[in-house]
Amino acid sequence: MRRSMLFIPGNTPNLLMNADVLGADSIILDLEDAVSPAEKDAARILVRSALRSLGYKGCEVIVRINPIETDFWKKDLDEVIPLRPGMIMPTKVSCADDVRTVSDYIAQVEERCGMEKNTVRLIPLIETAMGVENAFAIASADPRVAAIFLGGEDLTADLRCKRTKEGNEIFYARCRMVNAARAAGVDVYDTPFTDVDDIDGLYKDAAFAKSLGFTGKASISPRHVAGINEVFSPTQADIDYAHEVMETIRMAKAQGKGVVSLRGKMIDAPIVTRARQVIEMEKAIFGGTEDDE
Amino acid sequence: MSKLVSSIKEAITQMGLRDGMTISFHHHLRNGDFVLNMVMDAIAEMGIRDLTVNASSIFDVHEPLIGHIQNGVVTGLECNYMGGKVGRAICEGLMEKPVIFRTHGGRPSDMEKGTSHIDVAFIAAPTADPMGNCTGKYGKSACGSMGYAFADAMNADKVVVITDNLVPYPLVDYSISEIYVDAVVEVEQIGNPAGIVSGTTKITRDPVGLKMADYAARVIDASGLLKDGFSFQTGAGGATLAAAKYIKDIMLQKNIKGSYGMGGITAYMVDMLQAGCFEALLDVQCFDLDAVESIRTNPKHMEVTATHYAGVSGKSAGVDNLDVVLLGATQVDVDFNVNVHTDSNGYIMGGSGGHSDTAAGAKLAIIIAPLTRARLPLVVDHCLCTSTPGSTIDVVVTQRGIAVNTKYGKNQELKEKLLAARLPVCEIEDLKRMAEELAGVPKATAPQGRVVAQVLYRDGTLLDTIKAVK
Amino acid sequence: MKITTSAVAGTLESSDVYVKAEPCGTLEIEIESVVSAQFGDQIRQTVQDVLSSLGVDSGRISLNDKGAIDCVIRARVETAVRRAGGEN
C-alpha cells in the first residue's frame, strides 16, 4: 500500500535518521533538487550509508536520482542499487527510451552485485510537456515500471504558465497521467501540494486527485502526510460495502447461484475486484480481520 | 509617609544586611533580569560577604554571580532552576557549599514552613507605588504574573521592592501588597524587555517534534481524561506547545469545555482560554506578550502564587486537581525517573521548576522527548540525577514509541486504552534498545567528584545529589 | 586511495559531523565530539575502519562531531577522503 510519498533531502542527517517515523507509506530520499551540485557526492554516499544501516522498517524506500542528461545519475545508481531500495525515481523522464536507459543501467549494476534482475522497480517522474504526451509509452516501457508520478512544478515551467493552488493548468496532465497509468496497469501519483501551511488546501487538492483516479500523492512536508493518508484510505462505508460484497458472493457460491446482486445492483467482476482492493487496504492500514474468500 | 529610598545601597544599609545572611530574588524577568546583578554588585562594593542567594531561578544573564562566588561575597546558592553558564561553573567545583535545588512548589512551602529563611528579599517590580504595592502587569518591563515573588514578600524579614515604573499611591490592581514591603527603590531599568518575554512563542516546525506532539495529543485523547472539566498544564517547549495546539483542535472539534489551564502561560494557552477550551487560567508566570496582555485584561486569566500553583504548605494547590501535564526530560531511566537538572555529561543546565510538583499532582504526567539527542539516548539505566521520581510519571512519548509506566502497579488500564487507540505502545526498555540500535551503546559515564548540589523534593526531603564533573 | 589535497565534508549542524582530510606524511586522526565521553572510542574505531577500507594509510583526518550516528560519520569521512583523493 502506497498512499503517501514523502520527500526527504538526501544530505540531511537528522531527517534521514527519522524519515521512517513521519507516517508516510514511502519515503523518497532525494539526490536531485534537494541537493546542490557541489554536494551530490556527499548526498549519495550518505544515502547509501543510511540505507545500509538504518533499515527503514515499515516504509518503502524510493531514491530520486538525477536526470539522465547530467553526469550524476549513473554514480547515483552505482552507490544505491546494491542496497536494494524498493524503487528508483528517475527524473525529467520524457519518453520510453529514457526509462529503458535507466533500466538497462540498473540491470548492469544488479548483475554486477549478483542481484536478481528487476529487483529494483521504477517510478518515473514525468514533469515535461513531452513526458505527459508520452505518459502511456513511459508507463509501459519496461517491466520495472510500477508507477508514474506527475511533477507539477517543472511541468508548468515547461508549459509556460503559472502554477496555481487551483491547479487548472495541470488538469489535462493529471487526467492524461491517470489514463496512461491505468491503461498500462501501473499506479499513478499526484504532484505535491506546495503550500506547507495550508492544510485545508492540501485536503482539497488530495481529494480532487483521488477523484480523478490517482493512487496517492507525494508531499514535500511531513505535515501533509496524515491528510494524504486519510484522503487515499478507504472510508468506513467503503470498507463495510466491500465486506458486504464478499459476503454476498460467499453466500451465492454456497447456494450455487451464478448471478448475484446487492442493494439492487448486480455484482460483476469489477465490483469484486474493487472490494478485494479495499479489503487489502483495510488490512494494510488497520491490520484488519481475516476475510476468507 | 513614603518607603522610597534613594538607592539600592541605601536600601541595603537600611535593611541591615550583614555577612552570612540570606537574600532572595524571583525570576519573572527571566534572562532579561538586571536586578540580581545590580543588587549583588552593590553588595560586593559595600564589602558584605558570605551571603546565601536564594533565587527562584538563575539564568545565563546572572553569570556575574560566578565572580561574586569566587570573591567570597556569595558562599551559598539556592534555586529551582539554573542555566548552563553558572551550572557549568558549579559542576567544575566553583563553590564549597553544595547548591540547594528546590521545586517551584517546594521553595515557597519551605519558606512558609520556616525551613528556608530569607533575611532580605529584593523584589523586581515592573510597576510599584511609593508604599510598595506592586505588580508585573504594567510598565515598560511588564512580565505579567509575579507568582514566584509572593512567598518572598510574605516570609522574608525585610522586603525591598525595586521598580523602573513608580506610580502615585495607591497602585490600582496591585499583586503584592504594601503590608509586606519595607523599602522601595526606583531605578532606571529593571530589565531588558526582549529577555523578559518573547514576542511570540513559536510552535516547532521540526517534523520529529510534531510527530511526538501528535502522539501526546492522541495519548491524552485516548486516556479518557479529555472531557468537560479537563485541566491541563504544558511547558513552553516547542513540542509541548504543538501538543497543546492539537489538544485545542480536539477540544473544539468535540466541543469539550475544560476547567483550567495552568503553569507558565503562553499565547497558546491564552488562545485556548479565548476559544472556550478553559474557564480560567491559573498563571504563575507569563512567557510571552500575549500572556501579559491577557492577564492584564481578562479576569478569567488569574495570577496565582507559587504556593497556590504547586506548593505543599497550603491546604491545597492547583496541581492537586490537574488532569494532564506535558513535561520534557533530558534523561529518563528504566524506572521512569526523570532528569531535568543535568545534561548527559552531568553538567547542570536546568532544574525541576514545577516538573516534579505537577507530575506528583497530575492524574496523567506525560514526558515528551526525542528518542535520541545528538546521538545520546533519552532512556538510560540510571539517570545522572533524579529530578522527578518515576513513581509520579505515567507515560513517555517519543517519535518511535510510547512507554506506559506500569511498574508501580498502576496504569494497566491506560496501557490498554492506548493499545486500543492503535498507538505504538512499547516497554521503556524497548525505547532504550531502539535508541541504541540507531545510535550505538554509549559508554557509561558518571561524574565522580564531590557533591556540588543537593536536589530537594517538593516536601523538602533530599531526593538526589549532583557530583562535580571535574 | 591517497590523500593528495585538502578537502572537507559534512556540516556543523546537530547530528552531523564536519570532516577535514589533509595530506600528511603519517596517519593522524583528531576527534572533537560533543559525545566524546560516551562515544569517543567508537568514533575513532569507525574512522579507522573507513580509512582502511579505502586503503588510506597517511593523511590528517580531523572531525568536529555534533552527535552524528555511525552511518553518518562513515559517509562524511568517506566523502572527505574521496574528495581529498582527487575524486570529483
Side-chain angles (χ1 to χ4, degrees), chain B residues 3 19 30 73 82 178 186-188 196 220 222 255 290 296 302 310 312 326 345 366 401 430 432 450 465 467:
Chain B
K3 296 174 185 168
D19 290 0
R30 301 204 290 161
V73 175
M82 182 180 279
E178 61 180 302
E186 187 181 18
V187 298
E188 194 149 316
I196 298 171
I220 294 168
N255 195 28
D290 288 351
R296 184 158 54 212
M302 300 185 292
V312 292
L326 296 178
N345 290 315
I366 301 174
D430 293 331
K432 178 169 176 278
R450 66 184 171 82
T465 58
K467 289 179 176 162

Side-chain angles (χ1 to χ4, degrees), chain B residues 21-308:
Chain B
M21 283 187 159
T22 297
I23 60 176
S24 80
F25 300 90
H26 67 72
H27 72 280
H28 286 286
L29 305 183
R30 301 204 290 161
N31 209 36
D33 176 44
F34 292 167
V35 169
L36 188 147
N37 292 341
M38 279 193 301
V39 171
M40 292 316 303
D41 288 348
I43 287 172
E45 283 170 27
M46 293 167 72
I48 304 170
R49 298 171 58 80
D50 193 22
L51 295 178
T52 295
V53 171
N54 180 327
S56 48
S57 295
I58 291 166
F59 286 84
D60 284 350
V61 73
H62 301 129
E63 201 179 359
L65 262 178
I66 295 172
H68 295 306
I69 293 169
Q70 285 163 342
N71 294 332
V73 175
V74 175
T75 53
L77 271 186
E78 305 184 11
C79 62
N80 310 339
Y81 173 97
M82 182 180 279
K85 283 194 172 161
V86 179
R88 190 168 187 97
I90 291 293
C91 290
E92 287 169 355
L94 172 69
M95 204 168 64
E96 201 63 38
K97 207 190 288 180
V99 172
I100 293 176
F101 277 104
R102 293 190 177 83
T103 71
H104 279 338
R107 179 179 185 269
S109 289
D110 278 358
M111 289 184 193
E112 280 151 27
K113 289 186 290 190
T115 46
S116 166
H117 179 79
I118 308 296
D119 294 297
V120 186
F122 295 91
I123 296 179
T127 293
D129 67 26
M131 297 306 290
N133 294 298
C134 60
T135 182
K137 294 178 191 172
Y138 310 93
K140 61 184 175 184
S141 305
C143 61
S145 176
M146 284 195 23
Y148 297 121
F150 283 84
D152 303 47
M154 294 159 79
N155 296 289
D157 289 347
K158 298 285 182 183
V159 175
V160 180
V161 164
I162 299 171
T163 188
D164 57 4
N165 184 35
L166 190 68
V167 297
Y169 184 86
L171 167 61
V172 176
D173 194 18
Y174 64 84
S175 297
I176 291 174
S177 154
E178 61 180 302
I179 63 172
Y180 304 112
V181 180
D182 295 276
V184 178
V185 184
E186 187 181 18
V187 298
E188 194 149 316
Q189 192 80 43
I190 60 168
N192 168 14
I196 298 171
V197 287
S198 340
T200 44
T201 324
K202 284 247 164 62
I203 281 188
T204 182
R205 296 186 75 88
D206 163 41
V208 174
L210 291 172
K211 183 75 194 178
M212 296 185 303
D214 175 51
Y215 279 152
R218 286 163 61 192
V219 166
I220 294 168
D221 194 18
S223 73
L225 293 168
L226 191 53
K227 57 188 183 209
D228 285 351
F230 179 65
S231 59
F232 178 56
Q233 175 165 341
T234 178
T240 52
L241 279 183
K245 156 125 194 354
Y246 293 148
I247 289 293
K248 177 187 161 195
D249 292 345
I250 296 171
M251 290 179 81
L252 293 179
Q253 195 191 342
K254 296 187 177 174
N255 195 28
I256 294 166
K257 300 282 174 219
S259 161
Y260 65 98
M262 189 167 69
I265 299 297
T266 62
Y268 291 94
M269 295 295 269
V270 170
D271 248 15
M272 291 177 82
L273 176 68
Q274 287 169 352
C277 297
F278 297 123
E279 280 300 314
L281 295 181
L282 307 189
D283 184 344
V284 71
Q285 178 179 26
C286 297
F287 281 127
D288 55 30
L289 290 170
D290 288 351
V292 175
E293 172 66 19
S294 169
I295 199 170
R296 184 158 54 212
T297 55
N298 188 344
K300 292 181 164 187
H301 184 157
M302 300 185 292
E303 181 177 35
V304 293
T305 68
T307 312
H308 186 172

Side-chain angles (χ1 to χ4, degrees), chain A residues 11 38 41 48-49 53 79, chain C residues 15 71 76 78 82-83 88:
Chain A
N11 202 30
D41 59 334
R48 181 247 285 148
S49 190
S53 61
E79 296 287 357
Chain C
S15 304
C71 68
R76 296 315 194 195
E78 179 179 337
R82 281 166 66 166
R83 285 174 177 179
N88 295 334

